């Protein structure tokens, strides 16, 4: 197992290098002068511009600038913004907000998605199965922008007005974990639909396996067959999807954080692209890539727990 972990970490290095170089090249290939974008309509002093270009290596070739960036990354330095703020300082508060949002969405997605998938698989062909499939189709069809404003209005405003219940905050993070309930549900909407269908398909396929039918024929209680044999083996593709989806949820939180005014890295990423703060954009993407690689490594290690036949030696 130890050798496998080391091998997976070594394989992650070219993935990290390739991804960061790609986003680095795209960001710095955008048209326009980032210093002029920082100044707005005002004229940039030539001496100041020359100093800043020298400080941030803007006059060097792309590959040289990328080499400086990677060198600093391996020492824990994500660079500086044009305003003189360390990029790591910007991450300190905002990263935790986005991580809380993504984890809340992942919990909602796992509970609701796997639960609905189980019901649909066990009641295949019945009205409940058809209804769940229809719900997943609706969830996929509704854009995040629409579902966010609708839930914000219904649960955050109208529910409070009609019943006096103020349990769902509509903006900000002042109410602690409750502040992430509606944003988490909105962010997890599409993923719930995909996970529900994946759970249904995986469990139905497992229930048709020979070992499951043999266990039932021997008189083993159906609940034990479902929990110990069928569901456990059906979890492998579900864990794979959930692990990969964690990075997707964190990277896709831009719209959700904007709707609910959550000060996370998604909102910061949007502002940084608009203000042409390239170091912040590249830094955020680098952190997201690291999270994605780590999540996939954890998923691979969980395979051995879920399926004893899998051994990484």
């Amino acid at each position: 197992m130890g050798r496998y972990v080391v091998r997976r970490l070594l394989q992650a290095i070219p993935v990290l290098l390739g991804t960061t170089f790609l986003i680095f090249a795209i960001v710095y290939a955008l048209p326009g002068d980032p210093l002029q974008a920082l100044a707005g309509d005002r004229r940039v002093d030539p001496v100041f511009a020359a100093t800043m270009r020298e400080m941030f290596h803007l006059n060097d070739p792309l590959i040289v600038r990328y080499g400086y960036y990677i060198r600093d990354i391996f020492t824990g330095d994500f660079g500086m913004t044009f305003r003189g703020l360390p990029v790591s300082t910007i991450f300190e508060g905002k990263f935790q907000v986005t991580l809380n949002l993504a984890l809340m969405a992942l919990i909602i997605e796992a509970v609701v998605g796997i639960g609905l998938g189980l019901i649909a698989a066990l009641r295949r062909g019945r009205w409940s199965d058809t209804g769940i499939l229809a719900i997943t189709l609706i969830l996929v069809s509704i854009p995040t922008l629409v579902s966010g404003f609708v839930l914000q209005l219904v649960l955050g405003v109208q529910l409070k007005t009609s019943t006096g219940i103020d349990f769902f905050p509509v903006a900000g993070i002042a109410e602690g974990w409750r502040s992430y309930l509606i944003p988490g549900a909105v962010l997890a909407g599409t993923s719930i639909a995909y996970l529900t269908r994946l759970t249904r398909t995986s469990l139905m396929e497992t229930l048709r396996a020979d070992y499951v039918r043999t266990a039932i024929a021997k008189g083993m209680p159906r609940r034990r067959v479902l929990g110990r044999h069928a569901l456990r083996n059906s979890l492998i593709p579900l864990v794979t999807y959930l692990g990969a989806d964690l990075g997707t949820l964190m990277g896709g939180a831009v719209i959700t954080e904007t709707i609910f005014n959550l000060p996370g890295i998604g909102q910061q990423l949007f502002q940084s692209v608009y203000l042409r703060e390239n170091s912040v954009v590249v830094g955020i993407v680098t952190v997201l890539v690291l999270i994605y690689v780590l999540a996939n490594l954890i998923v691979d290690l969980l395979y051995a727990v879920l399926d004893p036949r899998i051994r990484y030696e």
Side-chain angles (χ1 to χ4, degrees):
M1 183 71 75
R3 287 180 295 176
Y4 172 75
V5 173
V6 173
R7 187 168 65 251
R8 287 285 296 172
L9 290 174
L10 292 176
Q11 291 173 353
I13 294 178
V15 175
L16 178 62
L17 292 176
T19 308
T20 53
F21 178 76
L22 183 62
I23 191 63
F24 192 90
I26 292 174
V27 168
Y28 282 95
L30 292 175
D33 187 355
L35 295 178
Q36 186 59 54
L38 180 66
D41 295 332
R42 295 173 297 177
R43 179 177 176 271
V44 180
D45 180 70
V47 177
F48 172 77
T51 303
M52 294 292 287
R53 290 181 184 281
E54 182 67 25
M55 180 184 301
F56 289 95
H57 309 288
L58 297 180
N59 295 323
D60 295 330
L62 177 64
I63 191 66
V64 175
R65 281 182 282 166
Y66 178 71
Y68 285 126
Y69 177 73
I70 289 297
R71 181 199 63 185
D72 295 337
I73 284 293
F74 281 105
T75 61
D77 182 9
F78 286 88
M80 301 277 291
T81 67
F82 291 129
R83 292 180 172 85
L85 294 175
V87 175
S88 56
T89 303
I90 299 176
F91 288 166
E92 288 178 358
K94 300 180 182 297
F95 177 77
Q96 186 63 49
V97 173
T98 301
L99 182 60
N100 292 341
L101 175 61
L103 290 177
M104 177 63 74
L106 195 68
I107 293 173
I108 295 174
E109 173 189 349
V111 173
V112 178
I114 295 178
L116 292 178
L118 283 174
I119 297 174
L122 296 177
R123 298 179 177 272
R124 178 187 178 188
R126 301 181 184 180
W127 65 267
S128 53
D129 180 27
T130 305
I132 290 174
L133 292 179
I135 291 174
T136 60
L137 190 61
I138 294 173
L139 289 175
V140 172
S141 304
I142 300 178
T144 303
L145 190 64
V146 175
S147 61
F149 283 120
V150 169
L151 289 182
Q152 196 177 45
L153 175 64
V154 174
L155 297 180
V157 178
Q158 293 183 351
L159 181 65
K160 178 181 178 180
T161 303
S162 59
T163 64
I165 299 177
D166 186 16
F167 188 76
F168 298 101
V170 296
I173 57 174
E175 300 299 328
W177 65 271
R178 291 193 293 116
S179 303
Y180 299 97
L181 286 175
I182 301 181
V186 171
L187 185 60
T190 304
S191 298
I192 289 175
Y194 293 138
L195 185 62
T196 299
R197 288 178 172 266
L198 181 61
T199 303
R200 177 181 180 272
T201 303
S202 179
L203 186 58
M204 285 171 51
E205 182 179 349
T206 305
L207 289 174
R208 290 194 294 265
D210 292 338
Y211 66 90
V212 173
R213 289 185 293 182
T214 302
I216 296 176
K218 287 183 176 180
M220 185 177 293
R222 185 174 178 83
R223 179 175 299 181
R224 185 178 180 185
V225 173
L226 178 64
R228 185 172 182 178
H229 298 286
L231 183 58
R232 182 174 181 177
N233 290 326
S234 300
L235 284 177
I236 293 179
L238 308 184
V239 170
T240 302
Y241 179 81
L242 288 172
D245 203 39
L246 177 61
T248 304
L249 292 173
M250 294 193 67
V254 178
I255 297 178
T256 306
E257 290 180 356
T258 303
I259 294 174
F260 294 95
N261 195 26
L262 301 178
I265 60 173
Q267 193 178 74
Q268 180 64 49
L269 179 62
F270 175 79
Q271 295 174 355
S272 299
V273 171
Y274 179 76
L275 296 175
R276 294 294 305 276
E277 291 182 340
N278 299 338
S279 57
V280 180
V281 176
V282 177
I284 290 176
V285 174
T286 301
V287 173
L288 293 178
V289 170
L290 288 172
I291 293 174
Y292 187 85
V293 171
L294 181 60
N296 278 274
L297 175 62
I298 295 175
V299 167
D300 288 344
L301 296 178
L302 285 176
Y303 285 166
V305 177
L306 296 174
D307 191 347
R309 296 171 298 177
I310 300 177
R311 290 293 181 265
Y312 297 118
E313 294 293 346

